[in-house]
Amino acid sequence: MLVLPLVLAACATPREACLSDVSRQGRVVDALIAQTRGNIARGYGIEEREELRTRRHLCRYRTDDGEIVRRFCDRTVAEDIRVPVTLDIEAEKVKLDQLLARRERMAGAEATARAQCVARYPS
């Protein structure tokens, strides 16, 4: 799964790579804004956790005399689960205001950096 973004990034032109690098921090802040807005709208947060669970399935194995037989066996798997968590909604609203202000401040610097990418790597 992790290889695909690397392969696609290798296909990007220098201009596309530059523009992507410039907007990376903005995308992170945008994702945090969306998450915080969702938390406020729901009234609670959602946390992802990894839990180990045991799954029973049918296995094949070879006996000492070479016969292949089936039996049930257990396999431990890691599963990502989403769990509701309590939040201080007022603190979330303050956080949202701070993120929005930060995004607004970043917009000017991001526009300048994009213009530099376009100038450095014309079509």
Side-chain angles (χ1 to χ4, degrees):
M1 279 299 207
L2 295 176
V3 176
L4 185 59
L6 295 175
V7 171
L8 293 176
C11 297
T13 65
R15 181 179 185 171
E16 291 169 339
C18 182
L19 291 171
S20 178
D21 287 344
V22 164
S23 62
R24 179 172 293 127
Q25 189 175 10
R27 288 191 307 267
V28 170
V29 173
D30 288 342
L32 290 171
I33 289 170
Q35 179 184 18
T36 305
R37 282 182 173 154
N39 290 345
I40 292 169
R42 277 189 308 275
Y44 60 91
I46 296 178
E47 186 177 283
E48 289 199 15
R49 297 182 186 162
E50 187 177 273
E51 281 193 1
L52 296 178
R53 301 222 171 137
T54 303
R55 298 280 183 223
R56 181 166 290 245
H57 64 282
L58 202 54
C59 296
R60 293 178 7 168
Y61 72 99
R62 190 177 302 271
T63 63
D64 292 337
D65 62 355
E67 182 183 357
I68 296 177
V69 295
R70 293 179 178 251
R71 67 175 179 154
F72 284 102
C73 55
D74 295 333
R75 178 180 296 163
T76 302
V77 294
E79 290 183 355
D80 293 328
I81 61 166
R82 295 170 55 127
V83 179
V85 293
T86 59
L87 296 173
D88 180 353
I89 298 302
E90 293 306 313
E92 287 291 298
K93 290 178 182 177
V94 170
K95 181 168 104 176
L96 178 59
D97 290 341
Q98 291 171 346
L99 286 167
L100 290 170
R102 180 173 180 178
R103 187 64 178 115
E104 192 174 316
R105 286 190 309 270
M106 291 170 59
E110 200 172 293
T112 302
R114 281 188 174 163
Q116 289 173 349
C117 286
V118 171
R120 189 178 314 145
Y121 304 106
S123 299

